[in-house]
Amino acid sequence: MVKGLVKQLRHRMLISGLLIVILLLAGCGEDPRQGLPGGAAPAVIEIWHSLAGAEGEALAKEVQRIMDGHPEVLIHLEYIAEGEIAQLAYLAQAGGEGPELFLTTAQALTELFQQGALSPVLGNGDSFIGLTSQFKYGEKLYAHPLATDVPLFFYRTDLAQLPATLADFHTTKGVLALTALDTRNLTPWWSAQGGKLTGNGQPVLQDPANLIFLQQLLAWREGNLLLVDPNAWNLFLNAQAAYTIANASQAQGLTADIPWGSVPLTQLTAGQGELLTTRTLGIANSSIKTSESLSPLIRLVEDELLSADSQWAIAKAGKRFPASSSFYSREEAQAGILRQVGLGLAQVWSLPGNALEGKLIPIQDRAWQKAWSGVVPEEALAEAQTEAVKALEAK
């Protein structure tokens, strides 16, 4: 596997080298000026990305737009699958090579940061604070979010009414179907009711509010009001469930013959609580190739891709939504799903990349799932607390 990656990397490096030589030869001339015909060769900015299909095509169009407006830069796009980008970057940077910019998922960017492949971000973004914080380590920001998705509360108007609050949904007698019993789906509701993972820098998974919340979920299951099924979305589509919590992007697949509505989850918690986003893309600078001489042009490319128009073009092609806060002040974003996404993004849980809570969320999820499978809630949370303390002591 590694040999194949090395061979692939060498091939890419050879192509990039030949491209630079050709550009240098083409740029030879008398008293050249950067980017003009007969002038110096434009600077080559390489971007490694993991955007496929329509999303990748949208990125290519945005890159062409940037080059048309800024002939002083030549942008080379290199597609690399999300699961391979960190390994290839490691191999490339060991030899002082690699891209100037990475554009990939939040998970891949986290892996790149952990192996030292990222430098503090150069470009300027106007993302929501909570959305940006996931790329912050200490006082430094290592990436800007570019596109994302948020959970919404979907309801069928032919089966049940929209509840006044999420805690009151049982009064409508409608069934809520979830794909999984996890923190990501239920964060606004859980946090609005006082749920928490830490206190004074230590795990508190046994907090009374956490227990009460878990017991409420189990009580609703006993009342046939809550079910967990990987096919929850299909149950909603087929009128077997009146409610579900799903990514806002799912609305794009709803047809006119399904009577439905949706609201931000925080609307059902009286504006209290926070939420977690999904499917986030970010853009970051390479720690090897972000040189002082190229920094102004790298920043230029980065800023262009982070503009609200560019974010929207890339995001909608991938059925995501822009991370730009200014985008949601536009008239086109004042209604429907776009407005709901904007309201949700304004209440994203602000967790820095190295936050303790990020490490505890999977542990809490396992506790909830154990309780759902029959373990006494108090015991499930006690086991989770023990696991969390041991995990911290091991570091």
Side-chain angles (χ1 to χ4, degrees):
M1 174 66 178
V2 174
K3 288 183 179 179
L5 293 174
V6 172
K7 183 176 180 181
Q8 183 183 11
L9 180 60
R10 287 175 177 168
H11 179 66
R12 291 177 180 142
M13 291 165 59
L14 177 61
I15 292 175
S16 297
L18 289 173
L19 180 60
I20 292 172
V21 170
I22 292 171
L23 291 170
L24 288 174
L25 291 174
C28 292
E30 45 188 321
D31 194 21
R33 287 196 295 159
Q34 185 81 21
L36 295 178
V44 178
I45 306 296
E46 185 167 7
I47 302 176
W48 284 11
H49 71 96
S50 57
L51 279 59
E55 203 168 27
E57 293 173 5
L59 173 61
K61 288 181 181 179
E62 289 304 303
V63 162
Q64 186 60 54
R65 177 189 62 78
I66 296 170
M67 291 191 292
D68 290 343
H70 300 277
E72 67 271 28
V73 294
L74 178 64
I75 305 171
H76 175 58
L77 286 176
E78 187 69 47
Y79 171 78
I80 300 175
E82 175 189 353
E84 298 179 1
I85 201 166
Q87 174 68 4
L88 275 176
Y90 174 80
L91 295 172
Q93 295 192 331
E97 298 296 334
E100 281 72 31
L101 292 169
F102 295 99
L103 203 171
T104 185
T105 64
Q107 181 178 351
L109 288 171
T110 298
E111 294 175 6
L112 287 165
F113 170 80
Q114 291 172 343
Q115 70 182 34
L118 304 184
S119 63
V121 71
L122 287 177
N124 296 304
D126 67 340
S127 302
F128 298 88
I129 294 176
L131 194 56
T132 301
S133 64
Q134 65 186 300
F135 297 124
K136 195 171 185 179
Y137 296 85
E139 295 301 315
K140 295 181 179 179
L141 186 65
Y142 283 86
H144 279 300
L146 187 147
T148 192
D149 208 348
V150 300
L152 293 179
F153 185 85
F154 289 87
Y155 59 96
R156 290 194 57 127
T157 58
D158 58 334
L159 296 181
Q161 295 179 337
L162 176 66
T165 68
L166 197 55
D168 293 331
F169 94 88
H170 65 285
T171 63
T172 70
K173 307 300 182 183
V175 175
L176 171 63
L178 301 175
T179 56
L181 194 67
D182 58 27
T183 307
R184 186 171 298 280
N185 275 329
L186 298 169
T187 291
W189 184 13
W190 163 76
S191 59
Q193 294 188 359
K196 57 183 179 179
L197 296 170
T198 63
N200 297 320
Q202 296 298 316
V204 291
L205 277 72
Q206 288 179 283
D207 187 88
N210 294 339
L211 176 60
I212 292 172
F213 180 75
L214 182 53
Q215 289 173 330
Q216 180 67 77
L217 296 180
L218 296 174
W220 285 359
R221 182 182 65 176
E222 292 302 312
N224 296 316
L225 297 172
L226 176 64
L227 62 88
V228 176
D229 190 309
N231 296 311
W233 184 249
N234 287 330
L235 295 178
F236 177 77
L237 295 182
N238 296 326
Q240 295 173 272
Y243 310 113
T244 191
I245 296 173
N247 286 337
S249 57
Q250 292 285 84
Q252 299 180 44
L254 291 171
T255 58
D257 59 339
I258 297 177
W260 65 281
S262 64
V263 294
L265 283 159
T266 49
Q267 180 175 319
L268 301 182
T269 58
Q272 301 300 307
E274 300 162 303
L275 59 80
L276 294 172
T277 56
T278 62
R279 305 175 64 237
T280 301
L281 292 176
I283 188 168
N285 299 108
S286 161
S287 60
I288 299 294
K289 297 297 288 294
T290 303
S291 63
E292 185 175 347
S293 60
L294 271 183
S295 288
L297 296 178
I298 295 173
R299 183 194 296 270
L300 182 153
V301 173
E302 201 169 349
D303 285 346
E304 287 282 349
L305 289 173
L306 286 168
S307 69
D309 286 337
S310 187
Q311 286 194 30
W312 180 220
I314 295 170
K316 66 181 177 181
K319 296 183 178 180
R320 305 180 208 250
F321 301 91
S324 165
S325 60
S326 63
F327 171 82
Y328 296 95
S329 64
R330 296 179 172 185
E331 184 177 353
E332 65 186 291
Q334 296 305 303
I337 291 294
L338 288 178
R339 175 169 171 73
Q340 294 174 24
V341 169
L343 292 172
L345 289 175
Q347 289 188 255
V348 171
W349 193 2
S350 184
L351 286 177
N354 57 352
L356 175 58
E357 287 88 346
K359 301 175 178 66
L360 298 179
I361 286 173
I363 298 176
Q364 173 167 270
D365 289 349
R366 288 194 289 272
W368 287 2
Q369 289 152 17
K370 286 180 181 178
W372 194 259
S373 65
V375 176
V376 175
E378 291 87 345
E379 293 179 3
L381 292 177
E383 290 176 9
Q385 176 70 13
T386 300
E387 180 183 351
V389 171
K390 287 182 178 178
L392 290 181
E393 292 175 346
K395 295 184 178 181

